[in-house]
Each structure stands twice: as structure tokens, then as C-alpha cells.
Amino acid sequence: MTVRRPVLRLRLGQADGADQRPHRVQRPDSLAVEEPLELRVGGQPLSVTMRTPGNDVELAHGFLLTEGAVARRDEVRTVRYCHSHDDGGRNTYNVLDIELAAGVAPPAGRAFLTTAACGVCGKAALDDVRLRSRYEPASDACQVDAAVLARLPARLRAAQRVFDSTGGLHAAGLFTTGGEQLWVREDVGRHNAVDKVLGAALLADALPAAGTVLMVSGRASFELTQKAAMAGVPVLAAVSAPSSLAAELAEELGITLVGFLRGDSMNVYTRADRITG
Amino acid sequence: MTVRRPVLRLRLGQADGADQRPHRVQRPDSLAVEEPLELRVGGQPLSVTMRTPGNDVELAHGFLLTEGAVARRDEVRTVRYCHSHDDGGRNTYNVLDIELAAGVAPPAGRAFLTTAACGVCGKAALDDVRLRSRYEPASDACQVDAAVLARLPARLRAAQRVFDSTGGLHAAGLFTTGGEQLWVREDVGRHNAVDKVLGAALLADALPAAGTVLMVSGRASFELTQKAAMAGVPVLAAVSAPSSLAAELAEELGITLVGFLRGDSMNVYTRADRITG
């Protein structure tokens, strides 16, 4: 998940020092790997995402889940690497062929299928990006102790194997409300990290993800809130800020949205009734 | 660009304190606004992006530029809000109608048009996400002093009007190599912030953006490096880490890539010959 590259490390000279020129050191540096992953359904191209290689089958399942195509493991027949190769004849492992179960339709390219009915097109644009989940996080009666939540950022960071060497990866983790770690995944893309985690849950037949907390290393957007809903996750917690639409969607869907989860404090934007302690 | 919402601020009790229960305060909080923007070309839906409202026309121009459809202002005839309205009859200002100049084709939906030639599909996936720029940042002979670069993160932050109140916005800024600020824009989406800045440059007939530094508040990905290339930007600087593919693409296109630009130090991954001092 990392590659080494030469890098010029440059540090400015001290104003009170004798030498005003920047200090230059050439050394190798670890970078988080980013490569394209093409998903195909029945041989037809579905999407290309820039991702960190690893857990690709989980990513494919998570993508299908959070785009509304499937909600259970048995709705996906097979996911396997295509025999793709680069100019040197090596398999790139950058194309996955997906076969869905009979009667399951691939996800529609949401952003490209907006209705052209202009009179309501503002609403249509929003409706178009909204998906209907088969699960109902609103009715999840779980509770989570504030002290458990406060420990999750450190747990997430501790489980990140690659971040320390590159500083370049987002993380997402699914935890029980008791604080037990279920899955933690890393990726250059924050959406991908979440899709990998939720794909792992789907592959483990663990959906809906009742009584869980989805913890993300960055911000909480509309898309991440929607992904939580698609997997039936009742609590979404983020280290950084939520957006307005994340809070609106969380309220509408009955998801507990926690932001600025840092140190010993947090902001609870919706469904605070689930937070105890 | 912000909305107010009630939030429950929760702080854990001190272990040595008399009261072990978390301290709870209900107060209003400012959130960065996130809303969908649908772009249409000639009445046909092109894409929906989740963005922070504001500078939408710049965003539309920047999107067309960085998706390879246009490279000059006169290739876009008009960009105007559609008469879209919500259930209450208010214009949502969330749909933009674009008319391109005669002979200019809208961008192809890259991720959905991958060739089905499986033998080379790994390469095809990557080729599919790569765009050809009409500008050549490699031949830009500009130089930038390391001390100027070191000041840019603070300049970017100072220009961010909304971040301080929400903590929820990415920023991108275009500066001259002398450190003069040209445009700074904010958005919940990091790609959108960059598209707004580059769209502003296009609208000012300032492309190719020779002799400039594109400074971004987060990480440097493949996509952001490509966006810089599409506008002819010779130097891309990021506060955080670059990905492997960002460095590879920067090397191939002759763009100077700077990462971890913090305090008085930075990492230069490619084309360090442009860095002086």
C-alpha cells in the first residue's frame, strides 16, 4: 500500500543563523499508493475509482451496497479480477468483473440520470443523489456511552497501518457500541475507506449493521451519511466537521451524527438520545 | 455559506473531579452548507456535484476546463441558473444551464466510457481517467523561492472566510510565484474548491496559468494534479501528503509537486529545479 520515491526535504534557514539558505536533504519517502480500479458488471464498465489497492473485493461489495444495487451478500454472485495486464504483460489487478445474482440490476449512474423536468429540477437534483436504504437506522434502539465514543479516534489511528508511514490515508472503522473493533480500512479516498468497511460487513452477513458506530478520520458529508444509512448504521462519528446536508440527512433518517470527536469532547448534531454517560 | 443548527456539545467529566458525568451544553453551531449542483449542457444533464453554494459559475467553468471540454473563456457561450424551484416555489439556484460555443463538445462521462477491450483493460482504466491538456506546464520556466512557498499555507488560511466558523471547508488558492494572491475559494469538496479557482482564472482569460502556484489545504491526489495540468499550472503545493499517482503524473507532466508544506519545511517530489532560495 506504499511506494518509495526520492524526495527533496527542504527546511528554511533560521533568521538568526549564519546560513540563510534552506537546508536541503535528498532522501526516500513513502507515499500512499493510488491506482484506478475499474468495476464492471456483466462485462460492462460501471465506474472507475481512484483507490489504494487492497481489499478491492470489499470495496466492490461496498460500492454496490452504498449505490443501492444490493443489500445482502447473496445478491452478488462473484467478484474477480479481470485478466488485465500492463505493457509489460503483468496483471494490473485494477479491473474487477462483477456478476450479480439473477434479477439484481446494477446501480444506475446516479449523477448522469437526472430527470430533465426543469420545473422541479432543483429538487430533482437532490432526489437524484438520494438513495433509498432497505434498512432503517432510525428504529435502532442502541445506546453508546460518550466515553466509548471518545476513545474511538485513538483506536482508529492505532489500527491504521499505513498512515504513519505516509500521512496520506483516510480511515474508516466500524465498532460496536461497546467499543469493540469490527473492521478498519484505509484508502486515499475517504469514500473508498467507508465502502471497504461496509463491504466487509456485507461479506460477513452482518447487515444491517445494527448497534454499530461508523467512525471516519475526516469530515462527515452527505455522501458518507448516506453510505451509513445504506448499511443500516445508527451512529456516524467524525473527527472533523459535518456539512449542513449531512446533518439534515442524518436527522431525516434517524442517524446519530457526532462531529469534532477529539480529545474528551464532541458535538452531537442529531439523535442525541442514543448518547449516554 | 453557513447555516446554524442546534448542537449538543458534550465534554467528558474529569477522572479526578467530583462529577463523573459528561458536561452537556446545548448551543447553536455553524455548519458549512452543502447542496447539490446539477450542470446541464444544452439541456442535457451532465453531472451532479455536492458543493458549497457560491461561485457556481466559476465552478461550472472550472469543471468544463478540468474535464477537458474547454480551455478558453470564449468556448463557453453562457452559464445561467435554471428556473428551478423547491416545493415552496423558491428558486433553488442548484441547476446551471450551460451553452457551449459552436463546435465545442461537452465532456464525456469519463468513468462510464471505458473501452471494453479486456486485454489491455488495466491500462485502459488509467488511460480513461487521464486527460490531455492543451497547455504544457513542463515548459514553464518559472522559479519560486522556498520562503515564498512557506508563507502560502498561512495566506490560504487567512483568506478562508468560512473555515473559522465551521472547520468544515477545503480551500484552494492560486498565487503568483512572487506570492501574490490571485484567487482563493472554499468548498466542502476539495475538487470543487480547485475547480472554482481554475474557473476564475479561465473567466479572467488568465490561462495557461503560467508562473503560478496552486495551493491546496489538504492532500495532493491524481485528480488534483490533473486539474493543475489542465490549467497549465506549473507548481502544485499541498499542506498534506501526495499520493503515488500524484507524484507519477506530476513527474510525467513536468509539474513541481510540493507536499507537507508546513511551518518552515516542505517535501519536493518532482521538478525541484523550480525551487530556489
Side-chain angles (χ1 to χ4, degrees), chain A residues 23-103:
Chain A
H23 179 61
R24 291 169 178 248
V25 187
Q26 191 90 29
R27 62 173 175 78
D29 191 34
S30 290
L31 298 192
V33 173
E34 177 186 33
E35 287 186 13
L37 176 68
E38 180 179 332
L39 300 181
R40 299 178 176 193
V41 174
Q44 294 301 307
L46 175 65
S47 77
V48 177
T49 183
M50 305 303 296
R51 97 320 190 177
T52 300
N55 306 102
D56 289 338
V57 172
E58 292 175 356
L59 175 57
H61 281 82
F63 180 84
L64 293 167
L65 167 70
T66 63
E67 290 293 313
V70 308
R72 292 194 320 270
R73 178 184 185 150
D74 61 11
E75 292 172 326
V76 183
R77 193 191 306 260
T78 58
V79 174
R80 60 179 62 144
Y81 287 105
C82 171
H83 298 294
S84 58
H85 57 261
D86 61 18
D87 292 341
R90 289 175 295 260
N91 192 317
T92 58
Y93 297 106
N94 280 346
V95 181
L96 280 177
D97 269 322
I98 298 165
E99 295 292 336
L100 298 172

XYZ file of all heavy atoms in Angstrom, chain A residues 23-103:
627
model
N 17.992 24.435 4.158
C 18.695 23.170 4.328
C 18.027 22.128 3.423
O 16.819 21.940 3.484
C 18.595 22.762 5.797
C 19.257 21.460 6.118
N 20.605 21.248 5.936
C 18.757 20.322 6.617
C 20.896 20.018 6.316
N 19.786 19.437 6.724
N 18.803 21.463 2.568
C 18.235 20.516 1.609
C 18.767 19.109 1.875
O 19.970 18.915 2.001
C 18.625 20.902 0.180
C 17.981 22.179 -0.335
C 18.628 22.634 -1.639
N 17.957 23.831 -2.149
C 17.217 23.856 -3.255
N 17.086 22.774 -3.989
N 16.638 24.976 -3.649
N 17.877 18.149 1.945
C 18.270 16.747 2.108
C 17.492 15.904 1.112
O 16.261 15.988 1.039
C 17.968 16.217 3.532
C 18.552 14.817 3.701
C 18.492 17.150 4.587
N 18.226 15.095 0.359
C 17.574 14.161 -0.554
C 17.427 12.833 0.162
O 18.396 12.299 0.707
C 18.430 13.977 -1.813
C 17.752 13.236 -2.939
C 17.007 14.172 -3.876
O 17.387 15.327 -4.026
N 15.940 13.687 -4.488
N 16.197 12.307 0.227
C 16.017 11.024 0.901
C 14.788 10.325 0.328
O 13.937 10.963 -0.302
C 15.880 11.224 2.411
C 14.695 12.056 2.839
C 14.563 12.043 4.351
N 13.507 12.923 4.825
C 12.222 12.646 4.787
N 11.782 11.521 4.253
N 11.329 13.499 5.257
N 14.665 9.015 0.547
C 13.462 8.332 0.073
C 12.287 8.624 1.002
O 12.466 8.849 2.196
C 13.835 6.850 0.126
C 14.940 6.767 1.122
C 15.635 8.089 1.157
N 11.095 8.645 0.430
C 9.886 8.924 1.197
C 8.827 7.889 0.810
O 8.802 7.409 -0.311
C 9.397 10.339 0.849
C 8.298 10.818 1.777
O 8.332 10.453 2.968
O 7.408 11.549 1.309
N 7.971 7.528 1.752
C 6.893 6.577 1.460
C 5.636 7.327 1.062
O 5.200 8.232 1.776
C 6.589 5.718 2.699
O 7.651 4.838 2.954
N 5.062 6.929 -0.059
C 3.806 7.534 -0.498
C 2.708 6.483 -0.511
O 2.951 5.321 -0.836
C 3.945 8.098 -1.920
C 4.959 9.209 -2.158
C 4.734 9.821 -3.534
C 4.831 10.286 -1.097
N 1.505 6.902 -0.160
C 0.351 6.012 -0.242
C 0.053 5.717 -1.705
O -0.019 6.630 -2.524
C -0.864 6.665 0.410
N -0.122 4.447 -2.024
C -0.377 4.082 -3.413
C -1.799 4.459 -3.808
O -2.754 4.218 -3.074
C -0.153 2.572 -3.639
C -0.596 2.178 -5.049
C 1.311 2.234 -3.435
N -1.919 5.071 -4.972
C -3.217 5.407 -5.564
C -3.227 4.824 -6.964
O -2.323 5.095 -7.751
C -3.367 6.936 -5.622
C -4.654 7.406 -6.285
C -4.697 8.934 -6.442
O -3.631 9.540 -6.638
O -5.799 9.490 -6.384
N -4.216 4.006 -7.268
C -4.347 3.439 -8.613
C -5.821 3.366 -8.972
O -6.672 3.262 -8.105
C -3.727 2.031 -8.672
C -2.218 2.030 -8.637
C -1.636 0.627 -8.834
O -2.390 -0.281 -9.234
O -0.439 0.461 -8.587
N -6.114 3.381 -10.255
C -7.521 3.292 -10.665
C -8.041 1.872 -10.496
O -7.317 0.899 -10.737
C -7.499 3.684 -12.138
C -6.125 3.317 -12.599
C -5.218 3.506 -11.410
N -9.270 1.760 -10.064
C -9.956 0.458 -10.045
C -11.207 0.594 -10.906
O -12.068 1.425 -10.634
C -10.356 0.058 -8.629
C -11.171 -1.243 -8.547
C -10.318 -2.453 -8.938
C -11.737 -1.441 -7.136
N -11.260 -0.237 -11.938
C -12.454 -0.237 -12.776
C -13.371 -1.365 -12.340
O -12.928 -2.506 -12.191
C -12.073 -0.412 -14.243
C -13.289 -0.428 -15.161
C -12.917 -0.578 -16.629
O -11.821 -0.154 -17.018
O -13.740 -1.115 -17.384
N -14.633 -1.045 -12.119
C -15.629 -2.069 -11.793
C -16.477 -2.316 -13.036
O -16.901 -1.373 -13.708
C -16.531 -1.608 -10.640
C -15.842 -1.288 -9.315
C -16.883 -0.875 -8.269
C -15.030 -2.473 -8.819
N -16.693 -3.613 -13.331
C -17.560 -3.980 -14.442
C -18.637 -4.917 -13.944
O -18.369 -5.759 -13.094
C -16.764 -4.701 -15.526
C -15.670 -3.860 -16.117
C -14.907 -4.655 -17.144
N -13.915 -3.792 -17.762
C -13.249 -4.085 -18.856
N -13.472 -5.248 -19.462
N -12.373 -3.260 -19.356
N -19.827 -4.752 -14.483
C -20.912 -5.676 -14.156
C -21.325 -6.359 -15.450
O -21.688 -5.681 -16.418
C -22.122 -4.953 -13.526
C -23.276 -5.915 -13.341
C -21.723 -4.335 -12.193
N -21.246 -7.672 -15.475
C -21.605 -8.414 -16.679
C -20.778 -7.967 -17.876
O -21.272 -7.955 -19.005
N -19.541 -7.569 -17.646
C -18.667 -7.166 -18.739
C -18.781 -5.699 -19.125
O -17.959 -5.186 -19.882
N -19.793 -5.022 -18.599
C -19.989 -3.613 -18.938
C -19.339 -2.710 -17.899
O -19.520 -2.919 -16.695
C -21.490 -3.287 -19.003
C -22.215 -3.990 -20.124
C -21.643 -3.640 -21.485
O -21.519 -2.469 -21.836
N -21.256 -4.660 -22.243
N -18.597 -1.684 -18.338
C -17.970 -0.758 -17.390
C -19.020 -0.067 -16.520
O -20.049 0.391 -17.028
C -17.279 0.268 -18.287
C -17.196 -0.348 -19.627
C -18.324 -1.323 -19.734
N -18.764 -0.040 -15.217
C -19.698 0.586 -14.282
C -19.114 1.878 -13.729
O -19.770 2.912 -13.707
C -20.004 -0.385 -13.135
C -20.878 0.142 -12.011
C -22.269 0.444 -12.519
C -20.920 -0.860 -10.863
N -17.873 1.816 -13.257
C -17.242 3.018 -12.714
C -15.742 2.810 -12.624
O -15.260 1.687 -12.642
C -17.784 3.341 -11.321
O -17.201 2.481 -10.358
N -15.030 3.918 -12.547
C -13.603 3.885 -12.259
C -13.381 4.752 -11.036
O -13.833 5.891 -10.988
C -12.759 4.429 -13.427
C -11.280 4.439 -13.053
C -12.980 3.610 -14.686
N -12.753 4.206 -10.022
C -12.448 4.998 -8.834
C -10.953 4.960 -8.581
O -10.288 3.964 -8.860
C -13.228 4.471 -7.602
O -12.943 5.320 -6.488
C -12.814 3.064 -7.230
N -10.408 6.063 -8.080
C -9.004 6.097 -7.707
C -8.914 5.602 -6.270
O -9.467 6.218 -5.373
C -8.457 7.520 -7.806
C -8.651 8.186 -9.174
S -7.924 7.267 -10.559
C -6.192 7.374 -10.110
N -8.210 4.474 -6.074
C -8.203 3.891 -4.740
C -6.825 3.379 -4.366
O -5.935 3.270 -5.214
C -9.267 2.799 -4.633
C -8.915 1.322 -4.806
C -7.940 0.995 -5.872
N -7.811 -0.432 -6.143
C -7.028 -0.906 -7.109
N -6.309 -0.116 -7.876
N -6.956 -2.211 -7.318
N -6.632 3.074 -3.097
C -5.433 2.394 -2.645
C -5.658 0.902 -2.797
O -6.622 0.371 -2.241
C -5.141 2.738 -1.173
O -4.967 4.151 -1.070
C -3.891 2.037 -0.688
N -4.829 0.198 -3.569
C -5.039 -1.239 -3.765
C -5.090 -1.977 -2.430
O -4.397 -1.623 -1.476
C -3.816 -1.657 -4.585
C -3.385 -0.412 -5.301
C -3.673 0.701 -4.331
N -5.896 -3.030 -2.404
C -6.080 -3.798 -1.173
C -7.536 -3.791 -0.784
O -8.198 -2.758 -0.856
N -8.060 -4.944 -0.372
C -9.470 -5.049 -0.008
C -10.385 -4.617 -1.156
O -11.456 -4.049 -0.935
C -9.775 -4.219 1.249
C -8.868 -4.578 2.417
O -7.913 -3.850 2.718
N -9.123 -5.702 3.051
N -9.947 -4.907 -2.385
C -10.718 -4.467 -3.546
C -12.082 -5.156 -3.636
O -13.057 -4.551 -4.088
C -9.932 -4.753 -4.831
C -8.729 -3.830 -4.995
O -8.724 -2.748 -4.385
O -7.799 -4.208 -5.730
N -12.126 -6.423 -3.237
C -13.406 -7.149 -3.308
C -14.394 -6.557 -2.303
O -15.581 -6.394 -2.598
C -13.177 -8.663 -3.080
C -14.501 -9.396 -2.955
C -12.364 -9.249 -4.241
N -13.886 -6.189 -1.135
C -14.733 -5.473 -0.171
C -15.200 -4.142 -0.757
O -16.368 -3.757 -0.607
C -13.962 -5.195 1.123
C -13.634 -6.428 1.931
C -12.757 -6.105 3.137
O -12.337 -4.942 3.301
O -12.484 -7.025 3.909
N -14.267 -3.446 -1.401
C -14.615 -2.150 -1.989
C -15.732 -2.305 -3.017
O -16.688 -1.523 -3.041
C -13.373 -1.521 -2.637
C -13.576 -0.206 -3.399
C -14.196 0.866 -2.521
C -12.252 0.303 -3.965
N -15.630 -3.337 -3.846
C -16.662 -3.570 -4.863
C -18.011 -3.856 -4.209
O -19.044 -3.312 -4.615
C -16.251 -4.734 -5.762
N -18.002 -4.707 -3.188
C -19.265 -5.002 -2.488
C -19.827 -3.744 -1.812
O -21.025 -3.489 -1.839
C -19.047 -6.101 -1.446
C -19.014 -7.479 -2.025
N -17.885 -8.023 -2.602
C -19.978 -8.441 -2.134
C -18.155 -9.256 -3.032
N -19.413 -9.536 -2.764
N -18.932 -2.982 -1.189
C -19.373 -1.761 -0.511
C -19.937 -0.747 -1.486
O -20.943 -0.085 -1.205
N -19.316 -0.640 -2.654
C -19.806 0.287 -3.678
C -21.206 -0.129 -4.140
O -22.114 0.696 -4.245
C -18.830 0.315 -4.855
C -19.233 1.238 -5.972
C -18.930 2.591 -5.913
C -19.912 0.768 -7.083
C -19.300 3.449 -6.936
C -20.292 1.613 -8.111
C -19.983 2.965 -8.039
N -21.376 -1.412 -4.396
C -22.694 -1.903 -4.829
C -23.745 -1.672 -3.748
O -24.897 -1.323 -4.028
C -22.613 -3.397 -5.164
C -21.771 -3.753 -6.393
C -21.513 -5.265 -6.433
C -22.459 -3.297 -7.680
N -23.333 -1.855 -2.498
C -24.245 -1.633 -1.365
C -24.631 -0.166 -1.257
O -25.821 0.178 -1.188
C -23.569 -2.089 -0.066
C -24.245 -1.651 1.240
C -25.569 -2.386 1.437
C -23.317 -1.874 2.435
N -23.614 0.714 -1.242
C -23.903 2.114 -0.946
C -24.452 2.860 -2.155
O -24.928 3.982 -2.029
C -22.665 2.846 -0.385
O -21.623 2.858 -1.368
C -22.166 2.157 0.877
N -24.404 2.231 -3.332
C -25.073 2.788 -4.505
C -26.472 2.195 -4.686
O -27.156 2.498 -5.668
C -24.242 2.557 -5.768
C -22.968 3.390 -5.821
C -23.245 4.885 -5.965
O -24.061 5.255 -6.811
O -22.637 5.675 -5.208
N -26.866 1.335 -3.758
C -28.244 0.870 -3.755
C -28.547 -0.339 -4.614
O -29.714 -0.695 -4.790
N -27.516 -1.004 -5.147
C -27.776 -2.147 -6.023
C -28.044 -3.421 -5.228
O -28.861 -4.248 -5.644
C -26.594 -2.367 -6.971
N -27.344 -3.606 -4.123
C -27.509 -4.823 -3.322
C -27.564 -4.448 -1.846
O -27.147 -3.353 -1.447
C -26.334 -5.819 -3.540
C -26.108 -6.084 -5.019
C -25.066 -5.320 -2.880
N -28.073 -5.368 -1.040
C -28.101 -5.137 0.413
C -27.726 -6.400 1.175
O -27.636 -6.388 2.395
C -29.475 -4.644 0.856
N -27.540 -7.491 0.439
C -27.147 -8.749 1.079
C -26.080 -9.431 0.237
O -26.020 -9.272 -0.986
C -28.345 -9.700 1.198
C -29.436 -9.279 2.156
C -30.375 -10.473 2.442
N -30.628 -11.253 1.246
C -31.625 -11.029 0.399
N -32.467 -10.050 0.629
N -31.781 -11.775 -0.680
N -25.279 -10.242 0.902
C -24.167 -10.900 0.236
C -24.608 -11.771 -0.946
O -23.945 -11.820 -1.976
C -23.434 -11.762 1.275
C -22.298 -12.526 0.677
C -21.639 -13.445 1.686
N -20.487 -14.049 1.050
C -19.388 -14.438 1.664
N -19.290 -14.306 2.965
N -18.392 -14.968 1.017
N -25.743 -12.477 -0.781
C -26.141 -13.423 -1.826
C -26.683 -12.733 -3.080
O -27.048 -13.405 -4.048
C -27.143 -14.456 -1.281
C -28.422 -13.814 -0.783
O -28.631 -12.609 -1.032
O -29.215 -14.510 -0.126
N -26.735 -11.417 -3.072
C -27.142 -10.709 -4.288
C -25.961 -10.468 -5.235
O -26.135 -9.979 -6.339
C -27.827 -9.389 -3.914
C -29.172 -9.659 -3.225
C -29.811 -8.412 -2.653
O -29.085 -7.517 -2.187
O -31.047 -8.347 -2.663
N -24.779 -10.786 -4.746
C -23.578 -10.726 -5.589
C -23.112 -12.151 -5.826
O -22.850 -12.899 -4.883
C -22.449 -9.926 -4.904
C -21.235 -9.826 -5.827
C -22.935 -8.548 -4.494
N -23.026 -12.562 -7.095
C -22.621 -13.928 -7.373
C -21.102 -14.066 -7.254
O -20.603 -14.831 -6.443
C -23.091 -14.347 -8.764
C -22.994 -15.855 -9.005
C -23.223 -16.200 -10.472
N -24.482 -15.658 -10.963
C -25.593 -16.363 -11.094
N -25.611 -17.639 -10.775
N -26.684 -15.799 -11.562
N -20.353 -13.318 -8.050
C -18.893 -13.384 -7.993
C -18.285 -12.005 -8.226
O -18.860 -11.159 -8.914
C -18.304 -14.319 -9.073
O -18.731 -13.855 -10.359
C -18.721 -15.756 -8.877
N -17.131 -11.812 -7.635
C -16.300 -10.635 -7.907
C -14.886 -11.150 -8.103
O -14.313 -11.753 -7.192
C -16.325 -9.617 -6.747
C -15.323 -8.486 -7.010
C -17.724 -9.036 -6.552
N -14.332 -10.989 -9.290
C -12.962 -11.490 -9.521
C -12.184 -10.546 -10.440
O -12.768 -9.825 -11.235
C -13.000 -12.896 -10.103
C -13.724 -13.021 -11.413
C -13.682 -14.456 -11.921
N -14.353 -15.375 -11.012
C -15.067 -16.433 -11.405
N -15.155 -16.709 -12.685
N -15.664 -17.210 -10.527
N -10.844 -10.598 -10.278
C -10.007 -9.745 -11.112
C -10.063 -10.207 -12.558
O -9.989 -11.410 -12.852
C -8.548 -9.772 -10.641
C -8.327 -9.015 -9.351
C -8.145 -9.690 -8.151
C -8.306 -7.628 -9.343
C -7.950 -8.997 -6.960
C -8.116 -6.934 -8.163
C -7.935 -7.615 -6.980
O -7.747 -6.929 -5.813
N -10.182 -9.247 -13.441
C -10.091 -9.477 -14.875
C -8.643 -9.790 -15.225
O -7.716 -9.448 -14.499
C -10.554 -8.192 -15.572
S -10.308 -8.142 -17.333
N -8.424 -10.469 -16.354
C -7.055 -10.758 -16.790
C -6.467 -9.541 -17.499
O -6.051 -9.614 -18.650
C -7.031 -11.970 -17.733
C -7.515 -13.221 -17.088
N -6.839 -13.835 -16.055
C -8.621 -13.961 -17.290
C -7.504 -14.914 -15.665
N -8.589 -15.011 -16.396
N -6.452 -8.439 -16.786
C -5.904 -7.223 -17.378
C -4.396 -7.207 -17.177
O -3.883 -7.763 -16.220
C -6.522 -5.991 -16.713
O -6.270 -6.010 -15.326
N -3.688 -6.612 -18.108
C -2.242 -6.531 -17.953
C -1.714 -5.221 -18.498
O -2.334 -4.582 -19.346
C -1.547 -7.719 -18.620
C -1.879 -7.848 -20.077
N -2.828 -8.732 -20.545
C -1.425 -7.187 -21.155
C -2.909 -8.618 -21.867
N -2.078 -7.693 -22.259
N -0.553 -4.827 -17.985
C 0.058 -3.591 -18.455
C 0.953 -3.889 -19.653
O 0.988 -5.020 -20.157
C 0.836 -2.906 -17.322
C 1.969 -3.783 -16.791
O 2.364 -4.742 -17.489
O 2.446 -3.517 -15.681
N 1.675 -2.878 -20.123
C 2.509 -3.045 -21.315
C 3.556 -4.145 -21.133
O 3.977 -4.775 -22.095
C 3.211 -1.721 -21.657
C 2.207 -0.679 -22.120
O 1.096 -1.081 -22.516
O 2.528 0.513 -22.072
N 3.967 -4.358 -19.879
C 4.969 -5.381 -19.603
C 4.375 -6.767 -19.418
O 5.099 -7.705 -19.080
N 3.061 -6.904 -19.607
C 2.446 -8.217 -19.504
C 2.058 -8.615 -18.089
O 1.586 -9.718 -17.861
N 2.250 -7.728 -17.112
C 1.884 -8.050 -15.726
C 0.414 -7.738 -15.500
O -0.099 -6.722 -15.970
C 2.721 -7.214 -14.747
C 4.197 -7.612 -14.680
C 4.927 -6.642 -13.788
N 4.927 -5.307 -14.382
C 5.968 -4.783 -15.047
N 7.076 -5.464 -15.174
N 5.883 -3.584 -15.576
N -0.254 -8.615 -14.751
C -1.636 -8.327 -14.375
C -1.647 -7.075 -13.501
O -0.873 -6.958 -12.551
C -2.257 -9.501 -13.615
C -3.767 -9.354 -13.455
O -4.281 -8.273 -13.155
N -4.495 -10.447 -13.669
N -2.515 -6.135 -13.836
C -2.539 -4.881 -13.086
C -3.392 -4.988 -11.824
O -3.277 -4.178 -10.931
C -3.120 -3.753 -13.946
O -4.447 -4.140 -14.347
C -2.263 -3.516 -15.174
N -4.271 -6.004 -11.795
C -5.226 -6.127 -10.684
C -5.987 -4.822 -10.459
O -6.249 -4.423 -9.340
C -4.520 -6.585 -9.395
C -3.920 -7.957 -9.534
C -2.552 -8.129 -9.654
C -4.740 -9.082 -9.594
C -2.004 -9.394 -9.820
C -4.212 -10.346 -9.771
C -2.841 -10.500 -9.879
O -2.315 -11.742 -10.055
N -6.307 -4.153 -11.563
C -7.030 -2.892 -11.470
C -8.412 -2.944 -12.118
O -9.040 -1.913 -12.307
C -6.200 -1.755 -12.099
C -5.127 -1.257 -11.147
O -5.162 -1.556 -9.950
N -4.181 -0.510 -11.664
N -8.857 -4.152 -12.472
C -10.193 -4.303 -13.043
C -10.881 -5.472 -12.364
O -10.320 -6.572 -12.283
C -10.138 -4.546 -14.568
C -11.556 -4.669 -15.133
C -9.378 -3.432 -15.278
N -12.088 -5.236 -11.847
C -12.863 -6.304 -11.211
C -14.111 -6.575 -12.036
O -14.853 -5.653 -12.380
C -13.280 -5.909 -9.791
C -12.225 -6.066 -8.691
C -12.779 -5.549 -7.363
C -11.802 -7.528 -8.541
N -14.301 -7.842 -12.358
C -15.525 -8.270 -13.034
C -16.529 -8.740 -11.991
O -16.220 -9.611 -11.175
C -15.219 -9.417 -14.006
C -14.882 -8.909 -15.391
O -15.509 -7.930 -15.826
O -13.992 -9.502 -16.032
N -17.706 -8.169 -12.011
C -18.754 -8.490 -11.050
C -19.881 -9.223 -11.760
O -20.307 -8.806 -12.836
C -19.321 -7.201 -10.414
C -18.218 -6.448 -9.645
C -20.520 -7.512 -9.515
C -18.584 -5.021 -9.297
N -20.335 -10.324 -11.178
C -21.557 -10.966 -11.654
C -22.590 -10.868 -10.537
O -22.348 -11.349 -9.424
C -21.307 -12.439 -12.011
C -20.355 -12.649 -13.184
C -20.932 -12.182 -14.520
O -22.176 -12.124 -14.654
O -20.125 -11.868 -15.417
N -23.709 -10.248 -10.825
C -24.776 -10.127 -9.826
C -25.689 -11.340 -9.912
O -25.737 -12.039 -10.928
C -25.579 -8.849 -10.071
C -24.763 -7.549 -9.946
C -25.593 -6.344 -10.393
C -24.282 -7.352 -8.512
N -26.397 -11.608 -8.836
C -27.356 -12.711 -8.831
C -28.494 -12.400 -9.802
O -28.717 -11.241 -10.167
C -27.894 -12.930 -7.416
N -29.204 -13.462 -10.203
C -30.302 -13.290 -11.149
C -31.315 -12.294 -10.602
O -31.681 -12.347 -9.424
C -30.970 -14.641 -11.412
N -31.746 -11.384 -11.445
C -32.774 -10.428 -11.046
C -32.256 -9.183 -10.355
O -33.032 -8.276 -10.045
